[in-house]
Structure formats: C-alpha cells, structure tokens
Amino acid sequence: MIQLTKSPLINAGATRRGALGLIGAGIALMAAGAARAEDDNVLTEEQVLRDPDIPVIGNPKGDITIVEWFDYNCPYCRKLAPELRQVVQDDGKVRLVLKDWPILGPVSKVAARMALAAKYQNKFDVAHEAMISVNSRITEPRIAELLSGAGLDMDRLKKDHDANAKAIDAILSRNNEQALAFGFNGTPSFIVGKYRVPGVLSMDQFEQVIADARKANMGRKTEQN
C-alpha cells in the first residue's frame, strides 16, 4: 500500500510559515531548504499546482494534478517518463505539471533552460520528449542535436531564451524553492493531488496513488457540502 503523506497544500491563502506548520508528522523538512523559500506564497496551491508559467501535459482540466520535479540527466526520471505518460493518457483526467529541477550539474541547467525556452514556439512537449527519452547522460552538443532533430527552430530558440532569460530564471528559482521547502532530496519527486510522494513509483502504484488522491478530494468536497 502506498503511503500518502499530507502535504502543505492546505489552501491558496496559506503563507509559507503557516503551511509548514500544518505538515503531517511523516514529513521531515530540511530546515535550510525551508529557510531558502523566502516568498511567503511559494507553497500555496496556486504556485505549486497551477503556476501559469509551468507547462502542463495531459488534461488541463483534469480533476487530479501530478507535479513532478525532474532533471533531464536523472536516469530514474528518464526510465519513469514513458510509464508516467502512459498512466496520464490512460486515466484521461490527470494534469501533469512538469517542474524542471536541474540539480545534477551545469548541463542539466542548460537542458532545463532550453526546454522552457521551447514553450515560446509552443514546443515544450516536443523538447521535453526529445531530451527525457535518451538512454544516457546528455551533453550540450547532444542537447542541440536532439532539439534540432525534433524540429525546433534553433535560431528562434536562442532568441527566445535570451529575451526571456529572467522569466526562465524565475521559474527555475520557484521550482527549486518549492522542492527544498517540501524536503525533497532528489529527482524524481512528486505531489499527487494534495499529497507528497517522493521517489519512483511503478505504473500500478501511480494508478493507486491517483485513485487514493481522487478519493481524498471527493471526501473533502463531501465534508464541505
């Protein structure tokens, strides 16, 4: 049975300090990480689940949101990607929010920045698939090769990256602050609905955790009514 630990996502108005105070006993936050989350709104539902600057895959109107913090050079992220995509496709009611968390070196940061720049030509999903589908660590030359081969306009990609560098920096900073405040120790890490599920899951486990999160949502709505 997958153990779901209640996350700080209590309500959209909760401040960072207030949210951290409401975390269940099963979560051990790193004090240093939490201290870095200087923005009082970094752990609100809107920022974590519905940041308008973060690409969404799957059903944008789905009733359950999965948020993944990932790194393109993380072998576990690469191995998990097709299975997670299949779960989202089979379910049909899941929003998959992909949060770049490039913690495995300079090349990971380049890959994350290029993927986020690709959204300006409406090709984040294409760029993401190209880089997450490889079987080994990527290098900067390999990034360019993969994105060009996937059909991205590389001249535009560079221009979009340079023109939106501050916005991309802000996205990566928010992603990092949230991951640290949640106490995540590496990639991949997840929020499923209102629950924190760090680590790698199988397809069956993802299906189960989605069902449990959906059941919890329904129970909460019943209580509110």
Side-chain angles (χ1 to χ4, degrees):
M1 183 71 178
I2 300 299
Q3 295 299 313
L4 296 179
T5 309
K6 190 171 291 186
S7 81
L9 299 179
I10 305 302
N11 60 67
T15 65
R16 173 179 60 85
R17 292 182 179 85
L20 293 179
L22 292 170
I23 297 174
I27 298 180
L29 282 178
M30 303 187 319
R36 292 182 191 178
E38 296 176 351
D39 183 351
D40 276 350
N41 293 321
V42 74
L43 288 182
T44 67
E45 180 168 343
E46 285 301 309
Q47 284 296 313
V48 175
L49 301 185
R50 302 185 182 280
D51 186 331
D53 295 325
I54 303 295
V56 174
I57 292 175
N59 185 343
K61 297 182 179 179
D63 62 349
I64 289 293
T65 297
I66 296 177
V67 185
E68 179 186 8
W69 282 262
F70 70 95
D71 186 306
Y72 285 110
N73 263 328
C74 165
Y76 301 106
C77 299
R78 293 197 299 264
K79 182 178 180 180
L80 178 67
E83 294 187 356
L84 179 56
R85 183 67 71 100
Q86 189 64 51
V87 168
V88 171
Q89 180 179 321
D90 290 348
D91 183 282
K93 295 181 180 180
V94 173
R95 299 173 66 248
L96 175 58
V97 179
L98 296 170
K99 298 209 176 196
D100 289 271
W101 191 25
I103 56 176
L104 297 178
V107 174
S108 293
K109 294 179 180 179
V110 172
R113 296 182 68 84
M114 292 299 102
L116 290 170
K119 73 177 185 176
Y120 294 101
Q121 53 181 288
N122 296 317
K123 289 192 175 181
F124 170 84
D125 196 8
V126 173
H128 176 75
E129 279 298 300
M131 291 190 287
I132 205 69
S133 298
V134 296
N135 295 320
S136 59
R137 289 184 66 87
I138 54 178
T139 61
E140 286 196 48
R142 182 64 171 147
I143 290 171
E145 179 183 336
L146 289 168
L147 297 183
S148 177
L152 274 81
D153 182 332
M154 299 304 290
D155 289 336
R156 178 176 175 181
L157 186 67
K158 184 179 186 307
K159 291 177 181 177
D160 285 339
H161 171 272
D162 293 346
N164 297 283
K166 289 184 178 179
I168 292 171
D169 284 341
I171 291 171
L172 294 177
S173 178
R174 291 199 299 276
N175 292 353
N176 181 64
E177 288 177 347
Q178 290 168 2
L180 293 176
F182 276 123
F184 293 144
N185 294 316
T187 54
S189 292
F190 300 91
I191 294 293
V192 180
K194 299 293 182 71
Y195 295 92
R196 173 186 181 274
V197 187
V200 178
L201 302 180
S202 68
M203 286 184 69
D204 288 344
Q205 288 172 326
F206 262 118
E207 289 172 357
Q208 179 185 324
V209 82
I210 290 168
D212 288 346
R214 186 169 280 141
K215 183 178 179 181
N217 276 356
M218 292 178 65
R220 192 177 70 255
K221 290 177 181 178
T222 300
E223 289 177 2
Q224 291 173 347
N225 293 333

